[in-house]
Amino acid sequence: MPTYTIRGINVDFPYKAYDCQLVYMEKVIQSLQDKRNALLESPTGTGKTLCLLCATLAWRKSLGEFSRGRTEKSNIRESQDSDDELSQSQSSSVPKIIYTSRTHSQIKQVIQELKRCKYRPKMAVLGSREQLCIHEQVSLLHGKTQTHACHALCKKRTKRFCSHFSRVKEFVVKNPGIGDDPIDIEDLVNVGRSCGPCPYFLSREIHRDADILFAPYNYLIDRGNRKSLKINWNNSILIFDEAHNLEALCADAASFDLPSSLLTACISEAKNCVDLSIARREVSSDKSCNPDNFAILKALLLKLEKTIAEVSIESKELGFTRDGPYIYELLAQLNITQSTANMLMGIIEKACALLEEDANGSDSTRSNKTNATVCRLETMGDILRLIFKDNGNAHAQYYRLHVQEVEGKTSRTLSWWCFNPGIAMEEFTSLGVGSIILTSGTLSPMDSFADELKLEFPIRLENPHVISENQIWAGVASVGPSGYSFNSSYRTRGTAEYKQELGNAIVNFARIVPDGLLVFFPSYYVLDQCISSWKDVGPNLTNSTTIWERICKHKLPVVEPRQSSLFPMAIEDYMTKLKEPTASGAIFFAVCRGKVSEGLDFADHAGRAVVITGLPFATMIDPKVRLKREYLDQHLHSQKTGNKGLTGEDWYSQQASRAVNQAVGRVIRHQHDYGAIIFCDERFAHSNRKSQISLWIQPHVKCYSKFGDVVYTLTRFFRDGGTRGPTKLELEKKADQENPNDSQSFALSEKLPVPEMSVVDPSFSLGLISTRQSKQGNISSNLKEIVPANRSFLKPENGFRNTILKCSGYLTNTGKEPSISEKKNIKDSDAEMGDLVETSLMKKRRMLITGPSQSKQQEMTDHPLKRVKIENSQCSENAGSQNPLGQEDLRVNNNMVTHRSTINLSIPKQKNVVHQTAVHRNEETKGSAFLNQVRQKLSDAEYKEFVGFMKALKSKTMKIGHVLESIAALFSAPDRHSLLHGFKDYVPAKYHELYEYYLCATSKAVDV
C-alpha cells in the first residue's frame, strides 16, 4: 500500500494516487490542520470519498491512537450521568469526526470505501428505526408511528417490554470490540438477529466512544436529532459528502408548512385529550392531567384556524405575504407570546404522552398488538419551538410568512419559509466545531454556494477529472436535423416543430450511441408533452411510423415515474432491457432534479451518453421561488456592499445549472469509463451559461451550428471507443468470478517460490508509487500532472506533454527508430519545452506532498526544478547490453514529488524481449534465476514490496488483480522490461489477459 507524506502527515492510500487525488487530500489536511472550513469539488470517479477518508483518518491518527476496545471501559457505569461525563472526558483530548451524507444508501457506500482503507478507527453508524428495528411488530410500522411504538415498548415496568432493548448494554460489555472494524446498517441488523440486542440502540451506545461517526444529514442539521447525540462538539470535524443539495436541506429544515388538514387533526386530538383526562378522573381519580389545559389548547387552535381563514387574499396567484416577524403579530392575537409559548409547549407534550398511553394500553385486547398512532400535536410543538427558538426572534428577519389557498379546495396553508440556509450552519460555530468540509462533484459556482450558507470557506478546490480527452465527447447541438433551433424556453418548447425536431434528434442519438442512453427533460410536464407528441402520428406525416416507434427500433424505452414507490421497478426494467439481446440497448427518459439524476451510478454500458434537452428553471410563479428571489434582491440592497452578492436572478439561474451538472454526472463514473454529453439547447452555447457547467467539462465542450457535424463527430467518437478494449473493471470482474480454489489460481506462487526475507525495518513505510517514481523513472507523473482545473499554468505543461507525445508518436507512425540527427532535434525540442515548464513551475506554490524516498533528493536542491538533464546513450553492442532499449534519460527534480523519469525512443516487440531473457535462463532453475534477476534490478525497499505481494498472493489475502497491477508497476522501468514481460511466464493462463492489460497500461505511461 503506497504511503504519501502530505503536509507532514503520512497517508496510506490503497492504490496509486493520481495527482488530483494528492491535491484533494492536501486540501483536506490543510483544512484540518488550520481549523478552517473547506469547499471541495471533485468529479465523480476521481475517488473523492476514499481520499477524504484516508486523509482525515491519517490526520486523526497523527494525534493519537484510535479508541479501539474502549467500549469495555465506557460500560463500567453506575448511572447515565456518569456515563456521559466519562464519554466526554475520554473523547475531549482528540476531536471526533462526524461524516454525513444525504441518504442511508450513500452512507453504506462510504463504509464500503472505509473497508478499502488501511485505517481501522473505532466507528459507529446511525440509522433510523425503519432501517434498524427488528421487533416483530414495530418493524412493520413507519415514521412517527414507529417511534411512538418503540418508546412505549422500551418503558420499564410494562408487560410488553422489548427484549431486544434490554440486551444492548450487556452485549456491549461482553463485546467491547464492536465497531473496531467497519460495520454498516446491515451488519448491525445481523448482529441483532443473531445475538439479540436492538440494532438501533446498539448504534447509539457505541457512538459515544467512536472516533468517526457516520450518519445522514438530518442528524446534524435538525436541532432535536443533534441534541440526542452524546458528542463533545468542541474541535470536532464535520464532513458533508454529496453536499450539492445542502443549502436546500438546511432551508427546509428551518421552515414549516401548516395546512388546514393538519390543524384540523390537531384540534381533534386536543378534544380527545379533554375527554381522556375527564374519563381518567372519573374512573381512577387520576389528576395528573388537567382537562382545563387541554381545553385551552383546543380553543387556541380553533382561534388560529379562524385567524388564518380570515386573512385577506386579494390574488390567488400571489397569496398573502408578510415579512418573517409578522408571525409574532399573528400569534399575539391568540395570546401566544414568548412568555406563554413555553407553557403551551408543555401542555402539548403532556397531550402527546396521554394519547400515546391510550394508543398503547395494556388491556387484554391490546396485549399482542402494537397500536401506536401518529400524534399530529407533536408537529405543532415543533412549529412553536422553531418560531420561539432561543427565546428570541432575531432569526425571523430571514423568513417570509405566506398564506396560500389550495386549488380546488376551500382550505389554506400557512407557511413560514426560511431563505437563509446559513441559520442551521451558523449554529456549529457556536458549538466550537473545528472544521467543516463540504464536498461534492457539483458545487460550482462556489461563490454563490458559500454565500448562501453564510460561512467562510477559505480553502477551496475545483478538481479536474482523471480521464483523458478521448474518453469524453461534449457538445452543444444548437439545431436539429432540419435546422430548427433547439430552445426549450417557455415560448418555444410547446410548439409542434420543436417537439418533432427534438424527437428526430433523439432517434439519431439512439442509433449512434451504444448500450444505455439517458435523456433528461426540464420537468415532468415537458417530458409527458414530448412523449405524447412522439407517439402521435399527426396529420402531416405521410407514413404511419411515429417518432416513438423509430426510437424503439433502436433502443427499448423506460420513463421515470412520478411516484417514488414505482422508481425501483423502473430501474430494474431499464437494467433488464439493457441486456436484451434483440435490441441495441435501452433509453431512459428522466427529469432533472428527479430520482435518476440524483446519486445513481450509470457506469460503463448503463450510460454511454446523456442528453440534456433544456435548462430546468424552477417555475417562476411558484410562491417560494418568487419570494426567494425577492428576498435575495432586498437583502443585497440592504447590505450596501457595492452589489457584491447573490441576486435573485443569479440564484435562479445557478439553481438550473446545478441541476444540469448533477444530471450530467450520471455518466463517466470511473477512470476507465467513457461517454458523451449532448446539450440540445442553443442557450448552452452562450458564454455565461457555459461558464456554469462543471469546470472539468468546460474544456471539452464544442458548439456545433450544424446537426450533421454532431452526428459525424459523435459517430467517430463511439467508433473509436469500440477499439479501446476492455476496461479494468470488466477484467477484474472476470478475474473475481474465477473459482478461487482452482488449482491454477495460485499457480503463480507455486511456479515462483516466495523468497525468504529478513525482518523488515520497522521504520520502513510502504511507498510503492512514490519510491518507484523517484528511483526508476516514470515520467508520466511529471509530464501528465493533473493539476487543479483552476490553476493558471496548465497550458505550459500541456505544451511540454504534447512535445513528448509527438516524440513517441514519430515511432508509432513510421515504425522506425529515429536517426541520430532526428534524435538531436527531438532532444533540442524537449530541452526548450523543459525550460518553459521550469519557468512556469517556479511560480507554483510549494505543495507539501512527498514520496517515501524524496527527502534526500530534496536536500540536494534549493529550487523547485533545478535542472532538466538529457543524456543520449550511444548505439553500440556494449551500450546495448547495459541499456538494451536505447533510452534517453530525463531527470526532473520537482518540489512536489521527486521523480527520475525515462523516455523510450525504441520499443522492441514483447516476443523479442521474452526470447532474449529466455536464452539466458536455465530451464531447470528458471524460477530461481528470475528471482535473482528481480533482486538485482530492484532496490531494497522495492524488493521488500515485491516479497510482500508474493506472500499476500500465497496467503490469498489480496486479489490477484491488485497483485498483478502492483507488480507490473514495480517492473515498469525501462531497465526492467525483461522482468515485466518475463513475469508473464509465472502468471496462470486465464489471467494473461488481465496481466497484459496492466502491462500495456504501464508501457504507455513510460512511453509518454
Side-chain angles (χ1 to χ4, degrees):
M1 181 176 287
T3 299
Y4 299 92
T5 302
I6 306 177
R7 294 181 65 88
I9 304 294
N10 292 327
V11 181
D12 293 318
F13 200 68
Y15 311 108
K16 172 184 176 181
Y18 293 98
D19 290 344
C20 68
Q21 293 175 327
L22 294 174
V23 172
Y24 186 93
M25 290 190 284
E26 191 253 353
K27 292 294 184 182
V28 172
I29 293 177
Q30 182 185 357
S31 171
L32 301 175
Q33 290 177 333
D34 298 347
K35 293 186 179 181
R36 297 193 293 173
N37 301 333
L39 205 56
L40 309 177
E41 181 183 81
S42 195
T44 301
T46 55
K48 165 176 54 68
T49 301
L50 188 61
C51 291
L52 189 56
L53 286 170
C54 289
T56 305
L57 293 175
W59 169 81
R60 164 60 183 83
K61 189 176 181 181
S62 69
L63 303 179
E65 291 300 319
F66 293 128
S67 309
R68 297 172 63 83
R70 182 176 288 173
T71 309
E72 184 176 15
K73 299 177 183 178
S74 303
N75 280 279
I76 305 174
R77 300 161 178 161
E78 295 182 22
S79 66
Q80 185 69 31
D81 294 337
S82 64
D83 161 40
D84 294 345
E85 292 174 2
L86 179 61
S87 180
Q88 296 276 346
S89 62
Q90 286 177 332
S91 59
S92 61
S93 58
V94 291
K96 187 182 289 289
I97 302 166
I98 301 96
Y99 193 116
T100 67
S101 194
R102 194 167 55 89
T103 63
H104 287 100
S105 61
Q106 289 173 340
I107 289 294
K108 181 178 179 180
Q109 294 173 8
V110 174
I111 295 175
Q112 290 300 317
E113 292 296 303
L114 177 64
K115 292 178 180 180
R116 301 187 184 186
C117 298
K118 177 182 178 181
Y119 303 101
R120 287 295 176 263
K122 185 80 171 181
M123 61 85 67
V125 56
L126 298 181
S128 65
R129 287 178 173 84
E130 290 191 18
Q131 276 79 32
L132 292 170
C133 180
I134 57 174
H135 189 275
E136 185 176 2
Q137 280 116 27
V138 179
S139 61
L140 302 177
L141 305 176
H142 302 282
K144 290 187 177 180
T145 304
Q146 188 180 53
T147 302
H148 294 315
C150 177
H151 286 164
L153 294 178
C154 291
K155 290 181 179 178
K156 295 181 179 180
R157 300 176 183 175
T158 59
K159 293 182 179 179
R160 295 182 293 119
F161 185 64
C162 178
S163 61
H164 298 293
F165 174 71
S166 62
R167 299 176 187 175
V168 172
K169 288 195 174 183
E170 180 184 0
F171 178 84
V172 174
V173 171
K174 292 182 178 179
N175 299 272
I178 184 75
D180 287 356
D181 292 317
I183 53 173
D184 58 21
I185 288 177
E186 290 183 0
D187 296 325
L188 287 173
V189 171
N190 291 334
V191 167
R193 294 191 186 282
S194 60
C195 304
C198 171
Y200 177 80
F201 287 102
L202 177 61
S203 67
R204 273 145 184 77
E205 187 72 20
I206 62 179
H207 95 268
R208 305 167 188 269
D209 303 307
D211 298 302
I212 183 169
L213 176 65
F214 297 93
Y217 285 160
N218 59 306
Y219 282 87
L220 293 187
I221 296 173
D222 185 86
R223 177 179 286 196
N225 285 332
R226 190 168 64 242
K227 286 184 176 180
S228 69
L229 302 178
K230 306 300 181 182
I231 292 177
N232 179 11
W233 295 98
N234 189 41
N235 290 326
S236 61
I237 307 302
L238 307 188
I239 298 173
F240 291 88
D241 199 357
E242 301 298 336
H244 50 273
N245 287 330
L246 184 60
E247 53 177 337
L249 292 171
C250 287
D252 290 343
S255 306
F256 72 79
D257 293 300
L258 180 60
S260 297
S261 57
L262 176 60
L263 196 51
T264 301
C266 290
I267 294 170
S268 177
E269 288 181 352
K271 181 180 181 302
N272 288 342
C273 288
V274 174
D275 297 338
L276 287 172
S277 58
I278 292 175
R280 284 192 174 192
R281 284 193 172 191
E282 292 177 350
V283 174
S284 60
S285 299
D286 184 359
K287 298 181 180 181
S288 59
C289 296
N290 188 348
D292 294 339
N293 290 335
F294 301 136
I296 294 173
L297 175 61
K298 176 187 172 185
L300 287 174
L301 294 175
L302 284 169
K303 193 172 182 180
L304 176 60
E305 184 181 46
K306 182 180 179 182
T307 302
I308 295 174
E310 293 176 348
V311 168
S312 176
I313 298 180
E314 298 179 359
S315 169
K316 288 187 178 181
E317 290 74 20
L318 298 178
F320 175 85
T321 302
R322 291 292 185 272
D323 289 339
Y326 182 79
I327 189 76
Y328 299 105
E329 296 181 28
L330 188 145
L331 293 178
Q333 300 175 25
L334 314 178
N335 197 29
I336 301 177
T337 62
Q338 194 74 56
S339 57
T340 61
N342 290 332
M343 180 183 68
L344 186 59
M345 284 185 277
I347 294 174
I348 290 175
E349 288 180 3
K350 290 183 179 180
C352 292
L354 180 62
L355 292 171
E356 188 177 319
E357 290 176 9
D358 179 65
N360 293 282
S362 57
D363 55 82
S364 59
T365 61
R366 294 173 177 172
S367 59
N368 296 318
K369 187 177 180 180
T370 301
N371 294 316
T373 58
V374 176
C375 184
R376 303 293 183 181
L377 279 172
E378 206 169 46
T379 303
M380 184 60 63
D382 294 337
I383 289 174
L384 290 175
R385 274 186 285 273
L386 180 62
I387 296 173
F388 296 100
K389 182 177 68 172
D390 299 329
N391 296 319
N393 57 8
H395 60 291
Q397 61 179 312
Y398 306 116
Y399 285 76
R400 293 293 181 269
L401 180 142
H402 184 76
V403 179
Q404 181 77 26
E405 286 190 353
V406 180
E407 292 185 11
K409 299 181 181 179
T410 57
S411 61
R412 293 182 171 187
T413 297
L414 170 68
S415 300
W416 204 48
W417 291 323
C418 174
F419 292 132
N420 178 13
I423 286 181
M425 303 301 291
E426 287 173 345
E427 293 185 13
F428 295 122
T429 304
S430 61
L431 291 172
V433 169
S435 300
I436 299 176
I437 299 176
L438 307 186
T439 185
S440 178
T442 51
L443 292 177
S444 300
M446 286 191 173
D447 288 340
S448 63
F449 194 89
D451 187 67
E452 278 277 86
L453 294 176
K454 298 297 182 290
L455 286 178
E456 292 293 329
F457 290 95
I459 300 173
R460 301 185 185 187
L461 175 68
E462 293 178 80
N463 242 348
H465 214 298
V466 295
I467 60 173
S468 58
E469 291 183 2
N470 70 333
Q471 292 175 259
I472 179 174
W473 185 101
V476 179
S478 300
V479 298
S482 302
Y484 187 89
S485 296
F486 282 139
N487 190 310
S488 69
S489 62
Y490 180 77
R491 292 186 300 273
T492 58
R493 69 187 180 207
T495 63
E497 293 81 4
Y498 169 79
K499 288 182 281 190
Q500 182 175 345
E501 194 78 349
L502 180 62
N504 287 329
I506 292 176
V507 171
N508 279 275
F509 298 146
R511 174 177 56 85
I512 298 170
V513 176
D515 304 311
L517 174 61
L518 309 177
V519 182
F520 287 98
F521 291 82
S523 65
Y524 282 109
Y525 175 79
V526 178
L527 168 63
D528 294 339
Q529 289 292 308
C530 286
I531 291 180
S532 177
S533 173
W534 298 339
K535 290 181 178 180
D536 186 13
V537 176
N540 298 327
L541 295 180
T542 57
N543 57 53
S544 59
T545 304
T546 64
I547 292 176
W548 184 255
E549 290 171 343
R550 289 160 57 205
I551 293 174
C552 297
K553 179 181 177 181
H554 299 290
K555 295 195 184 298
L556 302 177
V558 177
V559 180
E560 179 179 3
R562 291 174 183 258
Q563 299 89 344
S564 298
S565 58
L566 300 178
F567 183 70
M569 295 175 60
I571 290 293
E572 184 179 355
D573 187 27
Y574 177 72
M575 301 308 293
T576 301
K577 288 179 177 179
L578 270 178
K579 302 173 184 177
E580 180 62 43
T582 59
S584 61
I587 182 170
F588 209 138
F589 294 100
V591 297
C592 294
R593 299 191 184 91
K595 289 282 187 179
V596 175
S597 67
E598 287 284 339
L600 290 183
D601 187 358
F602 292 90
D604 296 317
H605 305 297
R608 281 297 177 214
V610 57
V611 179
I612 305 296
T613 64
L615 287 161
F617 288 111
T619 306
M620 195 174 293
I621 60 174
D622 182 275
K624 202 169 185 179
V625 173
R626 175 173 55 82
L627 292 177
K628 173 72 173 183
R629 296 181 64 175
E630 292 177 3
Y631 166 82
L632 289 173
D633 290 336
Q634 293 173 7
H635 182 72
L636 183 63
H637 180 73
S638 63
Q639 293 294 312
K640 298 180 180 180
T641 57
N643 292 329
K644 291 183 179 180
L646 187 66
T647 66
E649 181 62 29
D650 291 339
W651 170 83
Y652 186 67
S653 177
Q654 290 169 9
Q655 289 297 307
S657 296
R658 283 207 183 99
V660 168
N661 291 334
Q662 194 64 23
V664 165
R666 297 314 94 205
V667 297
I668 312 182
R669 303 291 294 184
H670 57 83
Q671 68 182 81
H672 301 286
D673 205 355
Y674 65 94
I677 301 168
I678 309 167
F679 299 101
C680 288
D681 195 312
E682 61 183 359
R683 291 174 292 178
F684 284 107
H686 301 163
S687 58
N688 63 331
R689 187 62 57 192
K690 186 178 178 181
S691 65
Q692 293 182 4
I693 298 174
S694 293
L695 210 56
W696 69 272
I697 302 175
Q698 289 183 27
H700 306 286
V701 178
K702 296 180 180 179
C703 300
Y704 298 92
S705 58
K706 297 180 181 179
F707 189 77
D709 295 338
V710 175
V711 171
Y712 173 74
T713 55
L714 197 59
T715 302
R716 188 172 61 180
F717 171 78
F718 284 111
R719 181 195 63 198
D720 296 341
T723 62
R724 290 190 181 106
T727 65
K728 175 182 176 181
L729 202 64
E730 293 170 332
L731 291 171
E732 289 187 343
K733 183 178 180 180
K734 180 181 178 181
D736 291 342
Q737 288 175 347
E738 301 288 349
N739 185 0
N741 297 322
D742 193 342
S743 60
Q744 286 188 355
S745 296
F746 294 91
L748 185 151
S749 54
E750 294 171 1
K751 286 174 152 185
L752 191 62
V754 178
E756 295 297 327
M757 286 288 296
S758 58
V759 179
V760 178
D761 183 357
S763 64
F764 170 73
S765 62
L766 285 180
L768 170 61
I769 304 303
S770 300
T771 303
R772 187 179 71 254
Q773 288 171 341
S774 60
K775 286 186 175 293
Q776 56 98 24
N778 183 353
I779 199 169
S780 59
S781 291
N782 274 328
L783 302 187
K784 297 174 66 177
E785 179 181 2
I786 306 176
V787 298
N790 51 356
R791 295 263 181 101
S792 60
F793 53 84
L794 185 61
K795 291 182 179 179
E797 290 186 296
N798 280 342
F800 195 9
R801 184 176 66 177
N802 291 338
T803 301
I804 302 302
L805 289 173
K806 290 177 183 178
C807 174
S808 60
Y810 178 88
L811 177 64
T812 305
N813 294 332
T814 63
K816 299 178 181 179
E817 183 177 352
S819 63
I820 300 297
S821 60
E822 288 168 341
K823 288 183 180 180
K824 184 179 184 301
N825 293 335
I826 293 172
K827 180 177 72 173
D828 294 340
S829 175
D830 291 345
E832 291 174 5
M833 291 308 301
D835 294 337
L836 179 60
V837 175
E838 177 174 347
T839 304
S840 173
L841 292 181
M842 284 290 289
K843 300 178 182 179
K844 180 165 64 170
R845 176 185 64 82
R846 179 173 182 178
M847 191 189 314
L848 302 179
I849 304 178
T850 63
S853 61
Q854 179 181 351
S855 57
K856 293 183 179 180
Q857 296 184 13
Q858 281 187 335
E859 293 173 0
M860 298 171 62
T861 179
D862 296 329
H863 301 285
L865 186 61
K866 191 169 184 179
R867 67 184 183 276
V868 177
K869 182 179 180 181
I870 303 180
E871 299 175 352
N872 189 13
S873 58
Q874 300 297 325
C875 297
S876 65
E877 292 182 1
N878 294 336
S881 63
Q882 298 175 358
N883 193 2
L885 299 178
Q887 305 147 355
E888 288 190 353
D889 194 24
L890 176 77
R891 295 184 178 89
V892 180
N893 228 347
N894 189 316
N895 72 332
M896 172 179 157
V897 182
T898 304
H899 306 281
R900 210 178 86 190
S901 306
T902 304
I903 306 172
N904 288 341
L905 293 180
S906 63
I907 307 175
K909 294 182 179 180
Q910 297 180 15
K911 292 183 179 179
N912 293 337
V913 177
V914 175
H915 176 70
Q916 290 174 4
T917 55
V919 169
H920 297 87
R921 292 182 185 143
N922 187 327
E923 292 296 335
E924 297 179 358
T925 58
K926 189 175 179 180
S928 300
F930 184 78
L931 286 178
N932 290 335
Q933 211 174 12
V934 171
R935 189 68 183 89
Q936 293 173 3
K937 294 285 186 180
L938 300 185
S939 66
D940 291 341
E942 290 169 327
Y943 189 68
K944 291 177 182 178
E945 293 173 17
F946 174 75
V947 173
F949 289 130
M950 296 300 294
K951 287 183 176 180
L953 185 64
K954 185 76 173 178
S955 60
K956 304 181 183 181
T957 58
M958 291 177 65
K959 291 184 178 180
I960 191 168
H962 182 56
V963 172
L964 295 180
E965 180 183 19
S966 302
I967 292 177
L970 275 175
F971 294 164
S972 62
D975 62 335
R976 303 173 187 173
H977 274 200
S978 59
L979 302 181
L980 183 65
H981 297 285
F983 187 71
K984 183 180 176 181
D985 293 347
Y986 306 100
V987 177
K990 62 183 177 181
Y991 296 123
H992 279 185
E993 185 182 9
L994 181 61
Y995 183 69
E996 285 174 356
Y997 170 83
Y998 295 126
L999 188 149
C1000 293
T1002 304
S1003 297
K1004 288 180 181 179
V1006 175
D1007 294 342
V1008 173

